[in-house]
Amino acid sequence: MGTILKDMRHVQWHELRHAQGSASQVPGMLSRIAWGDSESADDALSDLGRWIGAMAVFDATAATVPFLWELAAMDTVKDRAGVLGLLGTILAHGHAHHPEWTRDAHLAVLAGRATAERLAADGDPVVSAAAGELLTACGGHVCVTCPAR
């Protein structure tokens, strides 16, 4: 696995949930995003988006976000802009019955702001644009579950 995503093994994924149930498949999805061919990585990113952020966030979302930040920062990841987009999606959604999941997921996204600032100056214009959009979302983020910043 190398140095990227090495800390995934410390997360008790089987105890976490996403939109489809157990989050035990999340490490495989993250690995496919990191090292899969373009089609496999795109499919994994799409599935992961539906599982952890498209309609609502879950307890698995906050655990996944630090790894998404790692992926966004790695030049070898095929769709870094897509990863940044997923982080923006997570920041835009919550969970009506679990405000603590919303807060934890949002704070995890906001914690990566320095990475987004660095990526806003990336040589890939698609990545820099996606990072700029995410920075705008971070700067304007206000929700009832997040503490005032």
Side-chain angles (χ1 to χ4, degrees):
M1 207 177 325
T3 57
I4 185 174
L5 303 180
K6 68 179 172 66
D7 290 332
M8 279 195 311
R9 67 181 186 275
H10 300 299
V11 177
Q12 300 297 314
W13 296 104
H14 64 282
E15 295 177 7
L16 302 175
R17 309 281 300 162
H18 60 61
Q20 301 299 314
S22 171
S24 60
Q25 318 91 331
V26 169
M29 291 294 158
L30 291 167
S31 294
R32 284 178 48 206
I33 295 166
W35 298 290
D37 61 38
S38 292
E39 184 177 346
S40 177
D42 286 347
D43 289 346
L45 185 58
S46 177
D47 288 345
L48 192 60
R50 283 193 311 277
W51 291 354
I52 67 165
M55 299 304 292
V57 298
F58 297 85
D59 59 349
T61 307
T64 305
V65 167
F67 302 110
L68 292 173
W69 279 118
E70 276 188 62
L71 293 172
M74 294 299 301
D75 289 337
T76 57
V77 170
K78 311 253 183 314
D79 188 3
R80 295 185 299 143
V83 173
L84 291 166
L86 177 52
L87 289 163
T89 297
I90 292 166
L91 191 61
H93 290 95
H95 196 291
H97 302 293
H98 292 280
E100 70 280 9
W101 293 353
T102 301
R103 181 196 63 239
D104 293 347
H106 290 180
L107 292 177
V109 172
L110 295 169
R113 187 178 180 112
T115 300
E117 289 170 350
R118 186 171 49 79
L119 292 173
D122 194 90
D124 181 335
V126 177
V127 171
S128 62
E133 289 175 19
L134 183 53
L135 282 170
T136 299
C138 288
H141 180 70
V142 177
C143 77
V144 297
T145 62
C146 293
R149 296 177 286 130

